[in-house]
Amino acid sequence: MSETAKNTPEDLQDVNAEQAAAEDIAAEASEEVVITDPVAALEAEVAELKDRLLRQAAEVENTRRRAKKDVEDAGNYAITKFARELLDVGDNLRRALEAAGDTSGADQTMKTLVEGVEMTEQTLLKALEKNGVEKLEPLGEKLDPNKHQAVFEMPNPEYPDGHVAQVMQAGYMLKGRLLRPAMVGVTKNPAGQEAPKDDTPGGNVDTSA
């Protein structure tokens, strides 16, 4: 009897098992071998590095701009507190002049005193203006909540409703930024009373709807 005839079914099963195991090992080995294109890998790495560099450059530029703006703001608005204190001085000078009233019939000493106060007020206003402080003159303007503080309402046929009819305290701007709002009285005419037309753009638009 030949050797082939001597192979039992158990022997054939062992051979098949060994072949299957060998095939599994070969498959795992082939999966571990990753074939990559070195040029594509380098291009991907360069693209990633370029993206990082651009992001870092943008961040540095934004930081530089913020620092520059902070320095400019510090220079432009460093006098904010001091300017507000000077405004109180200007208010007191204006009150003194209004209290003095018409001095045409007053004696020379009184006239000289009033003239001195007027000169002092003008000098103060010029000094403020030189440093970027601008006085607001809102009489007759439409109420702007960004610049005006409405204290009361009043009838005044000279102005349309919602316009400044009286200035209680002057407002000021410091290089485009509100330093102090103007305290004003706003027009509110009785119903049926016709107010003059507002020539400003959009001034006569009905906003009651």
Side-chain angles (χ1 to χ4, degrees), residues 143-145 147-153 163-164 166 168 181-187:
L143 180 68
D144 184 352
K147 297 180 180 180
H148 313 145
Q149 181 179 348
V151 181
F152 58 88
E153 293 179 333
H163 283 59
V164 177
Q166 184 176 348
M168 303 296 295
M183 299 178 65
V184 300
V186 183
T187 305

Side-chain angles (χ1 to χ4, degrees), residues 32-154:
E32 292 177 356
V33 178
V34 179
I35 301 176
T36 59
D37 185 354
V39 176
L42 288 174
E43 290 178 348
E45 185 177 357
V46 169
E48 183 181 358
L49 292 175
K50 183 178 180 180
D51 182 68
R52 289 183 182 179
L53 181 61
L54 291 175
R55 290 177 182 274
Q56 290 178 355
E59 185 176 353
V60 170
E61 179 64 18
N62 290 336
T63 301
R64 186 189 67 81
R65 289 179 179 177
R66 286 194 297 267
K68 182 179 179 182
K69 187 178 185 303
D70 290 342
V71 172
E72 291 177 351
D73 288 347
N76 290 333
Y77 307 113
I79 65 169
T80 297
K81 182 178 180 181
F82 179 64
R84 287 198 180 104
E85 293 178 353
L86 288 181
L87 295 184
D88 294 335
V89 177
D91 292 340
N92 290 332
L93 292 174
R94 173 46 42 185
R95 293 188 187 100
L97 292 173
E98 292 175 353
D102 184 11
T103 59
S104 58
D107 57 34
Q108 189 60 37
T109 302
M110 185 62 180
K111 290 181 179 180
T112 302
L113 177 61
V114 171
E115 289 176 358
V117 175
E118 288 178 343
M119 292 178 61
T120 303
E121 182 190 34
Q122 292 301 317
T123 301
L124 176 61
L125 293 177
K126 288 181 179 179
L128 291 172
E129 184 177 357
K130 184 179 179 180
N131 287 275
V133 179
E134 177 186 0
K135 186 178 182 180
L136 298 177
E137 301 289 349
L139 185 62
E141 296 181 358
K142 184 177 292 186
L143 180 68
D144 184 352
N146 296 319
K147 297 180 180 180
H148 313 145
Q149 181 179 348
V151 181
F152 58 88
E153 293 179 333
M154 58 181 292

